[in-house]
Amino acid sequence: MTKTIQCISPVDGQVYAERPALPLDAAKAAVARAKAAQKDWAALPLDDRIARVKAGIAALNGMKDRVVEELAWQMGRPTRYGGEFGGVNDRTEYMASIAAETLAPQVVEDSDHFRRYLAREPVGVVFVIAPWNYPYLTSINTIVPALIAGNSVMLKHASQTLVVGERLAEALHAGGVPQDVFQNVVLDHATTEALIGARSFGFVNFTGSVAGGAAIEKAAAGTFTATGLELGGKDPGYVRADADVDAAVDSLMDGAMYNAGQCCCGIERIYVHESLYDDFVAKAVKWVSALKLGNPFDAATTIGPMANVRFARTVRDQVAEAVAAGARPLIDPALFPEDDGGAYLAPQILVNVDHSMRVMREESFGPVVGIMKVAGDAEAIALMNDSPYGLTCSIWTQDPEAAAEIGGQLETGTVYMNRCDYLDPALCWTGCKDTGRGAALSALGFYSVTRPKSYHMKKVTK
């Protein structure tokens, strides 16, 4: 029996989209088509591949109104924010701009006797398993460099954002990327793992949970398939004694609450120097209290429902456990009428928290943040590192040298000073510990979807 994959809309709890999952034989056939098409795609001039990919992204931009509406239905983001087009365009443009230099052979010697160089060639078929929280941005991070480098790409999107893969395929095909070179596929977990275990792909990129990443590694075990895994996060902010409190509140609260807190690099815990603590907390409460929870199609809504009822349940449980253990909630729930256990979840700030509480230790991925008072840098560093995750950290200070010194002691993939919750396409997107491994964006993003090949060409025979 064919399995059906459903997207339940958080807006009204109804089935928004459903698609049949590909049986294993059909999925294997799709892989075979991708492999067959890849050679001709790679043989095209680089400028041609870049032009087609950029034309595809332009076609996606032409679908903006439809895409923004679909995102609201699928995962609840308010339409006022206009989708993810700014980041999609910036990342595409940057990766396209560095492709020629990054993919060019590195010549070691070109003399009368030898030509020695290091080339990069596509890995073949790249498999992207994408998440629902930023369904276009996270996909683009790998799809664009993979196609530009000459790979075929197969995209499996999250069930919560089933339609996103279809839109990406529609747009890229309109731009001139052949249908077998970019394929959107609907797969269940068993078929996904079977394809990976059969060594179907040259590279697998997965963004999702730690458990999901472990399943990918298990499926790939013994195949020597390269993997890129961006998994959980519990990103901290640190407000030093010399910080601009108003700026810190504005950015850190936005980093904690935007997208209903469903951001890979969202701020989930904050440590504030004792001299600024009371001021910071008071202003943070005022900032969050001004949010408007509601239907994402209402232009006044600034925070929509979480993407799924079960995600909201996790946050509710963490908050309830923390309060039972002594934490104090500061946001008046009367300001944010919820739907009594549904996907619409009121934002919350917790104080009197500590690292014995799940809300300060485990990923929440929702609109809640705990704030702790610290005496100085040493205590803040110890607390920021007291986590199984390591994606980003945010340091608020007037002293760049101090920020760099603190950053050097933190177990994290990215160090921000006076900003947070942002991806710079010129810098590597990476993590450590249970956040996973691998590299996206920057020149290293191209290295992930290509393999090195050395050429040692002797021009004389004696």
Side-chain angles (χ1 to χ4, degrees):
M1 176 181 288
T2 300
K3 183 175 181 180
T4 298
I5 308 297
Q6 290 186 332
C7 166
I8 307 297
S9 174
V11 177
D12 59 7
Q14 301 299 306
V15 175
Y16 177 71
E18 56 183 351
R19 303 289 186 268
L22 283 180
L24 182 57
D25 287 347
K28 288 180 177 178
V31 171
R33 293 195 302 273
K35 288 182 176 179
Q38 184 266 327
K39 296 296 183 184
D40 287 342
W41 173 251
L44 293 175
L46 176 61
D47 286 346
D48 191 355
R49 295 197 302 269
I50 290 172
R52 295 185 190 211
V53 170
K54 290 175 69 172
I57 299 304
L60 183 66
N61 276 262
M63 306 175 189
K64 182 175 181 177
D65 290 345
R66 179 169 47 152
V67 163
V68 169
E69 179 180 341
E70 290 171 345
L71 281 175
W73 282 114
Q74 290 173 94
M75 49 77 66
R77 185 181 302 134
T79 55
R80 66 180 289 154
Y81 296 120
E84 302 166 17
F85 290 92
V88 166
N89 295 335
D90 289 348
R91 296 176 197 184
T92 299
E93 287 294 331
Y94 182 79
M95 295 306 287
S97 73
I98 67 169
E101 180 180 0
T102 304
L103 297 173
Q106 298 178 29
V107 179
V108 177
E109 180 183 358
D110 192 4
S111 68
D112 292 340
H113 296 282
F114 292 98
R115 178 169 173 78
R116 296 181 293 133
Y117 61 97
L118 180 65
R120 302 206 68 88
E121 64 179 29
V123 296
V125 182
V126 171
F127 187 33
V128 178
I129 307 173
W132 50 264
N133 64 317
Y134 282 92
Y136 286 96
L137 286 173
T138 51
S139 302
I140 286 299
N141 289 351
T142 303
I143 290 170
V144 164
L147 288 173
I148 287 175
N151 298 284
S152 290
V153 173
M154 293 182 67
L155 169 65
K156 173 197 176 302
H157 228 298
S159 58
Q160 197 65 49
T161 40
L162 272 178
V163 179
V164 171
E166 296 173 2
R167 291 293 163 263
L168 284 166
E170 180 182 349
L172 288 166
H173 297 161
V177 177
Q179 291 193 5
D180 289 339
V181 169
F182 181 83
Q183 297 181 61
N184 173 62
V185 291
V186 179
L187 305 173
D188 61 20
H189 293 320
T191 301
T192 298
E193 292 169 12
L195 291 178
I196 294 171
R199 203 178 293 191
S200 301
F201 310 109
F203 177 68
V204 177
N205 176 260
F206 171 80
T207 305
S209 69
V210 174
I216 298 299
E217 281 202 325
K218 183 177 179 180
T223 68
F224 308 112
T225 301
T227 59
L229 307 172
E230 188 207 321
L231 311 177
K234 193 72 181 173
D235 290 3
Y238 171 38
V239 183
R240 295 184 81 232
D242 65 339
D244 180 328
V245 172
D246 291 333
V249 167
D250 190 52
S251 290
L252 290 173
M253 288 302 103
D254 184 65
M257 300 298 165
Y258 184 76
N259 207 38
Q262 300 167 129
C263 304
C264 298
C265 56
I267 296 297
E268 296 208 358
R269 50 198 175 106
I270 301 174
Y271 308 99
V272 183
H273 189 272
E274 57 192 6
S275 65
L276 302 180
Y277 179 82
D278 290 341
D279 189 26
F280 181 93
V281 169
K283 289 177 176 177
V285 169
K286 182 178 180 180
W287 195 101
V288 172
S289 297
L291 293 172
K292 177 176 172 54
L293 173 68
N295 187 300
F297 296 101
D298 183 341
T301 294
T302 54
I303 183 169
M306 293 190 68
N308 192 287
V309 171
R310 71 179 186 275
F311 306 149
R313 185 181 307 121
T314 295
V315 180
R316 287 189 176 99
D317 289 348
Q318 287 186 2
V319 171
E321 290 173 16
V323 171
R328 184 161 59 95
L330 299 182
I331 302 301
D332 182 357
L335 296 172
F336 302 95
E338 298 186 9
D339 58 354
D340 192 23
Y344 289 83
L345 177 65
Q348 190 54 267
I349 293 173
L350 298 174
V351 294
N352 295 350
V353 290
D354 60 52
H355 280 214
S356 70
M357 301 172 181
R358 280 203 303 152
V359 77
M360 294 299 286
R361 189 178 69 252
E362 297 182 10
E363 186 171 42
S364 302
F365 220 63
V368 59
V369 64
I371 306 177
M372 290 178 64
K373 183 187 301 184
V374 294
D377 294 348
E379 185 180 6
I381 291 166
L383 288 167
M384 286 191 280
N385 282 338
D386 183 28
S387 171
Y389 304 109
L391 184 55
T392 79
C393 67
S394 176
I395 303 167
W396 289 80
T397 178
Q398 306 287 344
D399 188 342
E401 292 184 1
E405 183 178 349
I406 292 168
Q409 300 178 61
L410 296 176
E411 298 159 350
T412 189
T414 297
V415 176
Y416 298 110
M417 186 183 85
N418 297 338
R419 78 178 313 173
C420 62
D421 193 23
Y422 173 77
L423 271 71
D424 181 343
L427 298 177
C428 177
W429 187 242
T430 188
C432 60
K433 300 193 284 189
D434 281 358
T435 291
R437 66 182 186 196
L441 300 175
S442 78
L444 298 183
F446 276 115
Y447 294 166
S448 294
V449 294
T450 57
R451 62 171 62 92
K453 180 180 283 187
S454 295
Y455 288 81
H456 194 130
M457 319 294 283
K458 186 178 182 182
K459 296 181 180 180
V460 295
T461 55
K462 293 183 181 180

